């Protein structure tokens, strides 16, 4: 009887201890993110919210913190932040879904992101006829207006399926606030502290450096005039911070190291966590 009582008391103490643990330490079970990982708190917080979860791999479900984030995943996370809403289509152009994007895990978030003015949508003149220069892309709520002679298409657009740069991420968050939420976020920030701001190291693999105003030459986004205010807003709001080398790393090509650079899932979890904290300050 005495042994049984000791076991009961021990069990009660264990249960009480578990109940006092933070939720993240109970529900966060990714074997590839240890508690001493630099982004552990952000990853566990965003995971517990359900906005960003693990990836299925041959070794089971892992968070893959060093893996790169894709456009589809960005749309998925923002769709979850918004509460998984249906897209508002009234008064907006009809968008045809191509077979490659139908009935996929990303279909609903991607369609919502396009109708919300966050993601790009392609358009063509009269179906088979293309505008000069080929198929064009843009955002509903910005440059695209409904027109009878245009055909709007939700396709497997390159940015959506490919990896995202820091500017891709910033513009997605910026469009979420300005176009989807319709909030004025005009903000000034002293960008002179970043060595790559005036003449950025956004350079192509050629010898000619590109200024920030020519960024569209190497980026899928079309609206370079929104890139500068988006970055100023992101820095002033604390959503994005400079890198250890004193740069913003706005571009895709790291000329110094001759490599491509994209946002990792750990970095995106950190940025998304700050973004959600920022949304709380808007009190919408």
């Amino acid at each position: 009887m005495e042994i049984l009582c000791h076991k009961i008391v021990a069990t009660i103490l264990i249960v009480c201890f578990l109940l006092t643990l933070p939720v993240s330490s109970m529900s966060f079970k990714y074997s590839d993110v240890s508690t001493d990982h630099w982004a552990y708190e952000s990853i566990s917080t965003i995971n517990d919210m359900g906005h960003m979860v693990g990836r299925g791999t041959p070794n089971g479900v892992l968070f893959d913190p060093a893996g790169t984030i894709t456009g589809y995943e960005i749309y998925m996370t923002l769709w979850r932040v918004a509460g998984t809403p249906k897209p508002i289509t009234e008064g907006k152009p009809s968008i045809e879904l191509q077979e490659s994007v139908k009935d996929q895990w990303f279909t609903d978030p991607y369609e919502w992101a396009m109708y919300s003015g966050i993601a790009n949508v392609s358009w063509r003149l009269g179906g088979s006829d293309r505008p000069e220069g080929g198929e064009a892309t843009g955002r509903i709520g910005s440059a695209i207006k409904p027109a009878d002679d245009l055909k709007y298409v939700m396709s497997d657009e390159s940015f959506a399926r490919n990896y995202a740069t820091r500017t891709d991420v910033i513009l997605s968050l910026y469009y979420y606030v300005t176009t989807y939420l319709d909030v004025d976020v005009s903000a000034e920030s002293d960008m002179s502290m970043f060595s790559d701001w005036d003449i950025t190291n956004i350079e192509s693999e050629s010898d000619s450096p590109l200024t920030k105003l020519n960024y569209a030459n190497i980026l899928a986004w079309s609206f370079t005039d929104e890139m500068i205010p988006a970055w100023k807003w992101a820095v002033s709001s604390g959503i994005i911070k400079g890198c250890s080398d004193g740069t913003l790393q706005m571009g895709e090509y790291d000329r110094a190291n001759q490599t491509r650079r994209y946002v990792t899932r750990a970095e995106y979890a950190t940025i998304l966590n700050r973004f959600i904290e920022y949304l709380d300050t808007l009190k919408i």
Side-chain angles (χ1 to χ4, degrees):
M1 178 64 72
E2 183 177 352
I3 294 175
L4 179 61
C5 289
H6 283 309
K7 287 184 177 179
I8 293 173
V9 170
T11 301
I12 292 173
L13 290 174
I14 290 171
V15 170
C16 291
F17 172 73
L18 290 174
L19 289 175
T20 62
L21 288 176
V23 174
S24 60
S25 59
M26 295 179 63
S27 62
F28 194 66
K29 300 178 180 178
Y30 302 115
S31 60
D32 58 343
V33 183
S34 62
T35 54
D36 59 356
H37 189 283
W38 69 268
Y40 174 81
E41 290 299 328
S42 293
I43 292 173
S44 59
T45 299
I46 216 70
N47 174 81
D48 287 339
M49 290 179 180
H51 299 325
M52 190 175 178
V53 295
R55 281 176 167 170
T57 73
N59 298 319
V61 177
L62 301 174
F63 191 83
D64 191 18
T68 41
I69 194 82
T70 68
Y72 287 142
E73 290 173 315
I74 291 175
Y75 302 147
M76 171 66 83
T77 59
L78 293 180
W79 181 62
R80 287 170 175 160
V81 169
T84 65
K86 295 289 185 182
I88 298 175
T89 60
E90 185 178 355
K92 298 179 181 179
S94 175
I95 299 175
E96 174 188 315
L97 273 66
Q98 293 188 336
E99 289 299 324
S100 62
V101 296
K102 287 182 179 179
D103 302 319
Q104 303 290 331
W105 63 267
F106 56 78
T107 301
D108 289 343
Y110 190 15
E111 187 176 15
W112 165 82
M114 285 197 303
Y115 276 109
S116 301
I118 298 170
N120 280 352
V121 61
S122 301
W123 74 88
R124 305 189 187 116
L125 281 170
S128 60
D129 296 328
R130 304 281 182 93
E132 184 178 351
E135 186 174 82
T137 61
R139 294 184 306 109
I140 293 175
S142 181
I144 296 181
K145 303 296 181 183
D148 294 336
D149 59 341
L150 294 181
K151 180 181 181 181
Y152 300 90
V153 181
M154 175 175 165
S155 60
D156 198 11
E157 189 261 323
S158 60
F159 164 66
R161 68 174 181 270
N162 290 338
Y163 304 133
T165 65
R166 282 161 70 89
T167 293
D168 292 327
V169 170
I170 293 311
L171 284 172
S172 297
L173 304 183
Y174 181 74
Y175 294 147
Y176 182 101
V177 174
T178 57
T179 306
Y180 177 61
L181 296 182
D182 194 24
V183 174
D184 179 11
V185 295
S186 55
E188 287 299 321
S189 182
D190 181 12
M191 309 298 282
S192 62
M193 68 185 78
F194 305 110
S195 61
D196 60 344
W197 177 248
D198 287 335
I199 299 296
T200 74
N201 62 355
I202 304 170
E203 293 181 293
S204 66
E205 295 171 63
S206 67
D207 293 330
S208 302
L210 300 175
T211 70
K212 57 182 178 289
L213 297 178
N214 292 324
Y215 195 77
N217 292 339
I218 58 171
L219 192 64
W221 298 97
S222 301
F223 302 95
T224 55
D225 59 326
E226 293 179 315
M227 175 185 147
I228 295 173
W231 267 98
K232 287 185 175 181
W233 159 77
V235 171
S236 66
S237 61
I239 292 170
I240 198 77
K241 300 182 186 298
C243 302
S244 58
D245 61 358
T247 68
L248 288 171
Q249 292 190 357
M250 301 159 67
E252 172 186 311
Y253 190 67
D254 183 350
R255 189 173 181 79
N257 298 311
Q258 300 288 300
T259 58
R260 301 283 175 186
R261 58 185 175 206
Y262 299 105
V263 176
T264 67
R265 285 171 55 81
E267 289 171 330
Y268 182 68
T270 302
I271 293 171
L272 187 62
N273 200 45
R274 294 174 189 155
F275 179 65
I276 292 171
E277 292 174 351
Y278 167 80
L279 292 179
D280 290 339
T281 68
L282 298 179
K283 298 179 181 179
I284 297 177

